[in-house]
Amino acid sequence: MFNIAAAQSGGPTSAINSSLAGIFTEAMKQPGIDTVYGSINGIEGVLGNEFVDLGKILTSDYDIDLLMKTPSTVLGSCWFKLKDPREDDSDYRKAAENLTKRGVKAFFYIGGNDSMDTVMKLDKWFRENGVDIKVIGVPKTIDNDVAETDHTPGFGSAAKYVAASLQEIIRDSRVYSIPSVTIVEIMGREAGWLAASSCVLRANGEPAPHMIYLPEADFSADKFISDIREAQKRYKAVIIAVSEGISIGEGFSSELTDAFGHKYLSGVGKYLEKLVGDNIGCKVRSIELNVMQRCSSHIASLTDITEAKEIGEAAVRAAMAGESGVMMIFRRISNNPYRVEIVTSSVDGVANKEKLFPAEWINAEGNNVTVDALDYFLPLIQGEPEIEYRNGIPIHFRLNQ
């Protein structure tokens, strides 16, 4: 008998806890696994020897079901980059020591492309130093920018929230007779997947958002104003989806960076609002969806929540089969009917890499996306989990009640 440990890292999502539930439930089916530990605040908890016994917390099927429907990281998270072990391997030795003394033979890290840097480094150091611990990556991010995998757990729910929010904004903006422009700023860092996903409204006959601007296409302020004037010939209320990462010049992103060197993005929507006000003069407002995109489990995608659990389960099976230094990935087989398979991919091809939105799915004008994007996105937002409410509010699973 041996034990395993799991941790969560990076930004929260509506599905990351479902992957943790998948790891736990599959581990409990394996006759060789005894205890499943959860590391508090990602790799920081491993280094600080802060673990909880998940078997003492998830004591019923109800607990597991509630955990799956609870957004954010129940174990906490971190943005922590391991140093180059050739310069300082003290953290690696500490991680090996703390995991080994708990009898851990497999460590699962749920996170994005930066978190896979931790998986890659730990796996390599463990191998080179004779530490018998398998290291497996489980993907997550609302940005959908993790390399190798067709999509990431967390993205489908975020896309569903973005589309539903935009639809409500459309209803609100169309009640007035005066011309207006509404600019909705959407997360995604340097990748435009989430903003592009707003195109799913077309499946229900919505013409809006009338324009979609992504980091993967060149942006011109003059062209932006021209696009709006053209749209105003047809629509009194023009709705625009814009990715936070579009390039609009210097001075509109913070100089502050996270541990992995990513700039904190801000100001795109407000900049464009002023641009429209100065050049067109109609009623204009910008809306930044901000962190609500990440954890809106009340409108999560059932497909997303289900797949997140399944990929966690598959990670345990991969470790039991002897795999290490890999990330679990979705490989799409077909759009309609929607079918995927879960396989492994070397984490070396994922860590610190970024999957951008396909240029061929952007229209020639650079202000919208093609039907191929719609076909890709639609299966990921299907279904709704049954949410339990108390006093009119969704119930969440919490470690510390």
Side-chain angles (χ1 to χ4, degrees):
M1 298 289 287
F2 62 90
N3 304 325
I4 69 170
Q8 300 167 308
S9 181
T13 78
S14 291
I16 189 170
N17 285 330
S18 192
S19 290
L20 181 65
I23 291 170
F24 177 79
T25 55
E26 182 63 29
M28 292 297 94
K29 296 176 186 176
Q30 299 289 339
I33 298 176
D34 184 14
T35 302
V36 180
Y37 289 107
S39 171
I40 302 299
N41 295 120
I43 189 65
E44 290 180 355
V46 175
L47 300 178
N49 200 27
E50 296 183 67
F51 295 91
V52 294
D53 182 345
L54 291 179
K56 294 180 179 179
I57 297 166
L58 302 171
T59 59
S60 67
D61 290 343
Y62 174 80
D63 288 342
I64 294 168
D65 183 67
L66 186 58
L67 176 65
M68 288 177 60
K69 299 170 184 176
T70 297
S72 191
T73 54
V74 72
L75 294 173
S77 188
C78 70
W79 296 99
F80 186 92
K81 184 169 185 175
L82 289 171
K83 297 175 183 175
D84 186 333
R86 293 169 297 183
E87 299 173 1
D88 181 358
D89 71 348
S90 59
D91 283 342
Y92 299 84
R93 287 187 279 108
K94 180 61 70 175
E97 176 187 344
N98 289 341
L99 292 171
T100 299
K101 70 184 179 184
R102 291 181 179 272
V104 170
K105 294 294 185 180
F107 176 61
F108 302 88
Y109 209 36
I110 311 171
N113 37 25
D114 294 332
S115 300
M116 295 309 125
D117 176 78
T118 299
V119 173
M120 178 181 66
K121 288 176 176 175
L122 280 179
D123 175 70
K124 184 178 180 183
W125 193 90
F126 287 171
R127 288 173 187 263
E128 291 176 348
N129 290 273
V131 178
D132 184 20
I133 300 175
K134 303 290 189 293
V135 187
I136 306 285
V138 179
K140 72 88 213 172
T141 181
I142 68 165
D143 300 330
N144 203 40
D145 62 349
V146 176
E148 300 298 329
T149 187
D150 175 78
H151 58 281
T152 52
F155 172 72
S157 293
K160 188 164 186 158
Y161 171 82
V162 165
S165 297
L166 267 161
Q167 183 169 246
E168 290 163 352
I169 290 168
I170 293 165
R171 298 282 79 77
D172 180 278
S173 66
R174 293 187 63 184
V175 301
Y176 302 108
S177 60
I178 61 173
S180 67
V181 173
T182 303
I183 300 158
V184 183
E185 181 181 333
I186 299 166
M187 280 183 167
R189 295 202 312 199
E190 288 80 22
W193 293 96
L194 194 53
S197 72
S198 60
C199 74
V200 298
L201 291 175
R202 296 179 196 166
N204 285 1
E206 293 281 3
H210 304 107
M211 280 90 74
I212 301 173
Y213 295 93
L214 310 178
E216 291 84 355
D218 292 335
F219 181 84
S220 159
D222 290 340
K223 176 69 162 53
F224 178 73
I225 295 300
S226 175
D227 289 346
I228 293 174
R229 292 190 190 280
E230 190 63 30
Q232 285 181 320
K233 295 177 182 178
R234 296 185 61 189
Y235 307 104
K236 192 170 292 290
V238 176
I239 312 294
I240 301 166
V242 58
S243 176
E244 65 180 358
I246 66 167
S247 179
I248 56 176
E250 295 298 323
F252 295 95
S253 66
S254 172
E255 292 306 312
L256 298 174
T257 60
D258 63 22
F260 293 86
H262 301 295
K263 283 189 175 183
Y264 295 109
L265 301 173
S266 64
V268 169
K270 282 297 180 185
Y271 166 81
L272 296 178
E273 178 184 336
K274 186 175 187 304
L275 188 69
V276 173
D278 291 345
N279 287 272
I280 296 179
C282 65
K283 177 183 178 183
V284 57
R285 65 159 50 95
S286 61
I287 300 169
E288 184 182 353
L289 297 184
N290 211 300
V291 296
M292 289 85 75
Q293 296 156 93
R294 304 198 297 197
C295 292
S296 296
S297 59
H298 60 283
I299 193 168
S301 157
L302 181 60
T303 296
D304 186 30
I305 300 301
T306 302
E307 287 186 340
K309 183 172 186 282
E310 290 171 346
I311 207 167
E313 294 168 338
V316 174
R317 293 193 293 270
M320 295 299 289
E323 295 204 58
S324 185
V326 298
M327 185 187 79
M328 311 309 298
I329 67 169
F330 292 117
R331 181 177 293 159
R332 190 174 301 212
I333 297 170
S334 62
N335 287 332
N336 189 19
Y338 173 63
R339 292 177 57 217
V340 295
E341 61 178 349
I342 301 173
V343 296
T344 60
S345 181
S346 171
V347 75
D348 293 354
V350 179
N352 304 306
K353 294 180 172 61
E354 193 172 45
K355 181 185 71 177
L356 300 179
F357 187 79
E360 61 270 24
W361 290 0
I362 301 174
N363 67 353
E365 293 77 21
N367 63 8
N368 222 311
V369 298
T370 68
V371 69
D372 290 325
L374 178 63
D375 293 340
Y376 168 85
F377 290 128
L378 266 182
L380 305 182
I381 65 170
Q382 299 305 309
E384 296 76 39
E386 293 185 12
I387 303 298
E388 183 179 356
Y389 289 78
R390 183 182 300 146
N391 295 320
I393 301 169
I395 301 173
H396 289 168
F397 184 92
R398 293 177 290 168
L399 272 187
N400 300 313
Q401 296 294 329

